[in-house]
Amino acid sequence: MLRGKVIGNIVSTNKLDKLVGFKFLEIRLIENAQLTDKYIVAVDRTVSAGIGEEVLVTTGSSARMALGDPNAAVDAVVIGVVDKNQ
């Protein structure tokens, strides 16, 4: 699992039919509590994360399973928003 900060939305007017309705986010990764110069694009189907929020991302086959489709053309999925108030 990865941790990162949402820095933007990616708009794609043409995409695979199975990905229609999915939100694509650009995420800057966090390591050792510090923002890095590493970025990833992840699908957000149900969490509804916004710009500036810290999120948890799963990748690879776990991402496809999170979507419920082991054949999905997806490599990263937002699975949670980090609550800073705890």
Side-chain angles (χ1 to χ4, degrees):
M1 204 172 340
L2 304 172
R3 191 170 125 201
K5 184 174 185 177
V6 178
I7 61 165
N9 296 306
I10 296 179
V11 178
S12 175
T13 54
N14 292 317
K15 54 187 153 192
L16 292 173
D17 289 341
K18 287 187 173 187
L19 298 179
V20 171
F22 287 27
K23 183 175 170 183
F24 294 95
L25 300 175
E26 184 173 13
I27 298 169
R28 187 172 182 185
L29 298 180
I30 296 171
E31 293 176 359
N32 299 319
Q34 298 292 319
L35 287 170
T36 68
D37 290 330
K38 299 175 187 175
Y39 298 83
I40 192 168
V41 175
V43 168
D44 180 355
R45 184 173 180 199
T46 58
V47 177
S48 298
I51 294 174
E53 290 187 298
E54 195 172 304
V55 294
L56 297 175
V57 178
T58 190
T59 58
S61 61
S62 295
R64 292 184 288 280
M65 295 306 290
L67 292 178
D69 181 357
N71 297 315
V74 172
D75 190 49
V77 175
V78 175
I79 57 168
V81 175
V82 176
D83 186 1
K84 297 271 188 171
N85 296 328
Q86 295 295 325

